[in-house]
Amino acid sequence: MENKFGNYIRNPLRESFNVRSIFTIHYFRYGKNFRVRKESHNFWEMVYIDSGRAIVSADEREFPLLRGQAYFHKPGEEHTIRTEDEFANSAIVSFECDSRAMSLFENRTLVFDEFEKQLLNKIISEGKLSFKDKLDDIYLVKMTPRENAPFAGAQLIKNCVELLLISMARKLLNEDRSEIISESLSVPSGVKLVENILRILNENIYNNIDLDTISEKLSFSKTYIK
């Protein structure tokens, strides 16, 4: 049988992480002494603390999660999150991934670097554009796609979650991550972000404007804007 590719040899692309579906994308602000009811489910849930401090429980363990840290609840793990005498902001992404490499994240507290924070910000901002739901609805269980969602928004979310997993896995394996190109994600540069912040401040020069409002308008976390 004639090779339809001529002299070229095809190299199938192996997927170390295949995120098959997204369940929820959340961004919460917790008050002091706040507690979420316990739950467990058969998919992964990533919890990232954007500011403040929270107490996370995973089955029988309980431990603090600080700003810039994340924890991955594995399928079937009973978990909850609470605050004590301070506020906290968290981003939570729950997703389906059966890849064997996910075992790297079990029972670990992880620290995000700047590249991984940008990926998470892109997931959140794309989630706002792709789904109708409020991302601060803490008990949301079903996200509703927008009819006018940007082209390939769902695929972009999938790709960003997979890039986030690859980046963290390479750190855990002490491998070089220089070939993961962040510029391809279309994340606004620092200069552009500053320009947008200044524009909002100028537009509201005679009005009250706070960091929460700026964060909401630009679809970036408060910590990243700071």
Side-chain angles (χ1 to χ4, degrees), residues 59-183:
D59 287 336
E60 302 302 319
R61 297 179 300 125
E62 188 173 85
F63 49 90
L65 207 59
L66 308 178
R67 173 183 170 184
Q69 293 183 333
Y71 183 85
F72 283 75
H73 292 293
K74 58 191 174 184
E77 186 172 77
E78 189 175 52
H79 57 275
T80 186
I81 186 170
R82 63 181 174 86
T83 57
E84 294 181 331
D85 295 327
E86 61 181 300
F87 298 98
N89 286 7
S90 75
I92 298 178
V93 181
S94 58
F95 57 95
E96 181 184 14
C97 183
D98 298 330
S99 305
R100 291 177 59 187
M102 288 300 300
S103 62
L104 286 168
F105 306 124
E106 292 184 6
N107 307 318
R108 288 178 181 266
T109 298
L110 303 166
V111 179
F112 277 26
D113 62 20
E114 196 61 35
F115 174 58
E116 290 149 1
K117 291 176 185 177
Q118 288 186 9
L119 286 168
L120 181 56
N121 275 311
K122 189 62 178 174
I123 293 166
I124 294 169
S125 62
E126 201 66 28
K128 291 180 179 180
L129 295 173
S130 298
F131 298 95
K132 297 179 181 179
D133 316 276
K134 292 183 178 180
L135 301 192
D136 61 353
D137 181 353
I138 196 165
Y139 294 118
L140 178 70
V141 297
K142 179 183 178 181
M143 299 191 75
T144 307
R146 292 185 185 273
E147 294 180 359
N148 60 342
F151 174 75
Q155 184 173 356
L156 185 54
I157 292 171
K158 166 186 166 68
N159 290 347
C160 284
V161 175
E162 290 173 347
L163 272 174
L164 183 60
L165 296 173
I166 292 169
S167 178
M168 289 188 295
R170 287 191 174 186
K171 278 199 304 189
L172 293 172
L173 296 169
N174 295 316
E175 294 186 3
D176 178 33
R177 300 178 303 143
S178 61
E179 294 184 9
I180 304 180
I181 308 300
S182 61
E183 286 78 4

